[in-house]
Amino acid sequence: MKYLCLTALSILSILIVAGCGTKTKETETAPATIDGVRPATQGMMSTAYFKLVIEHADTDTLISAESEIAGDVQIHESYMTEDGMAGMREVGLVAVSRGDSLIFERGGMHLMLLDLKQDLDPGDTVRVELLFSSGKKYSSILTVFDN
Ligand SMILES: [Cu+2]
């Protein structure tokens, strides 16, 4: 998937940079997480940002994400390439423990909503779901940003 993502990056670099942000990894300050989804049009892609505190189990593993408004949802992370370009790649399984915060944010881990089935206009609401290996499913209703 890394190869596919990088291929997509080269083809759709403008779109992806717009979708994933270009924040560097230099800052270690706590992220100012703003829940929401970026506006986009049907057939395109968007990104979802939110925070989840793990409270349902001592340990679990995030295995996938989904949304009824997207043909596919991938868990991505942003990173800097060796030549200083902002890139992103699919994250594998994410092990979590009780009390951990899963933070989906601009420039960090985020949900990619691919092959959108409908326009995402400002103010619309979107349900995203995180699936864990325990069978736990976490749902979040997010609002589409104004820009
Ligand atoms: Cu991404």
Side-chain angles (χ1 to χ4, degrees):
M1 285 314 295
K2 183 178 179 183
Y3 173 78
L4 288 176
C5 197
L6 289 173
T7 302
L9 181 65
S10 62
I11 296 170
L12 299 168
S13 57
I14 294 171
L15 188 65
I16 289 169
V17 166
C20 293
T22 55
K23 184 179 138 189
T24 70
K25 293 272 186 184
E26 292 170 9
T27 53
E28 292 292 331
T29 53
T33 303
I34 301 173
D35 291 1
V37 176
R38 297 185 68 94
T41 54
Q42 183 178 2
M44 303 304 285
M45 68 179 83
S46 182
T47 45
Y49 308 111
F50 60 101
K51 176 181 173 181
L52 168 64
V53 178
I54 302 300
E55 296 174 331
H56 68 275
D58 289 336
T59 61
D60 208 342
T61 304
L62 174 61
I63 54 175
S64 65
E66 58 187 37
S67 176
E68 59 200 4
I69 56 89
D72 188 23
V73 180
Q74 296 179 354
I75 302 166
H76 277 189
E77 64 180 354
S78 299
Y79 71 105
M80 297 299 284
T81 63
E82 289 179 4
D83 49 358
M85 299 290 287
M88 64 177 188
R89 55 197 167 200
E90 197 166 7
V91 175
L93 304 177
V94 181
V96 295
S97 299
R98 187 185 302 277
D100 284 353
S101 294
L102 274 178
I103 300 171
F104 298 89
E105 58 174 332
R106 296 171 194 266
M109 189 166 69
H110 55 274
L111 292 187
M112 288 307 291
L113 309 177
L114 303 170
D115 189 19
L116 294 175
K117 298 176 182 176
Q118 63 189 63
D119 291 349
L120 299 183
D121 295 319
D124 288 353
T125 54
V126 172
R127 178 194 298 273
V128 297
E129 296 181 310
L130 300 181
L131 307 176
F132 291 84
S133 60
S134 67
K136 172 72 175 180
K137 180 183 285 189
Y138 176 86
S139 290
S140 184
I141 306 286
L142 303 171
T143 301
V144 178
F145 295 125
D146 288 338
N147 56 46

